[in-house]
Amino acid sequence: MGAAIPQSRGRSKPARRGVSKSGVVVVVLLITSLAAAALWRLRDTLAARQVENLLTHRAEVGLFTHDVTERGEVESSSNVEVRCEVQSQNFDGVTIIEIVPEGTIVNKG
């Protein structure tokens, strides 16, 4: 009959071939850091080019020309509601003394 094959009690580890896990991690970190450095340098180069291509104009005081090219409604982003809080002695209400143009800066009192 055939020869018996001896069985080992503990598991033996297969022989490792190639690069270890720590070697792979080092290579991946190296590639990642090189890519990050290259992107950082590219970002600085592109930012410098954008600054060179800026159109500039000195601000000046003058008439504001506004042209509306679209139909629709325009609303203020922050509204202030002004209400008359004067209480009347009679039932006729309060007499309006003066109406000021819209946008006039007024002071309390």
Side-chain angles (χ1 to χ4, degrees):
M1 297 216 207
I5 299 175
Q7 295 180 358
S8 62
R9 290 185 178 175
R11 293 186 176 207
S12 64
K13 293 184 180 180
R16 288 188 156 226
R17 292 183 188 165
V19 182
S20 66
K21 287 182 183 179
S22 62
V24 171
V25 170
V26 169
V27 170
V28 168
L29 287 175
L30 182 63
I31 290 172
T32 305
S33 62
L34 288 174
L39 288 174
W40 188 266
R41 180 68 177 156
L42 180 63
R43 182 188 66 93
D44 289 343
T45 303
L46 291 176
R49 286 183 188 166
Q50 288 177 352
V51 169
E52 293 172 3
N53 296 332
L54 289 179
L55 296 175
T56 60
H57 183 75
R58 184 172 302 276
E60 57 188 43
V61 177
L63 293 176
F64 175 69
T65 305
H66 56 283
D67 296 326
V68 178
T69 58
E70 298 291 330
R71 295 181 147 223
E73 295 180 8
V74 178
E75 293 183 12
S76 173
S77 61
S78 62
N79 296 322
V80 177
E81 189 172 320
V82 179
R83 293 181 184 230
C84 179
E85 297 178 358
V86 177
Q87 294 183 358
S88 176
Q89 297 286 333
N90 55 26
F91 294 105
D92 294 339
V94 178
T95 304
I96 297 174
I97 300 173
E98 180 182 1
I99 297 177
V100 296
E102 185 175 343
T104 303
I105 298 174
V106 296
N107 296 322
K108 188 173 184 177

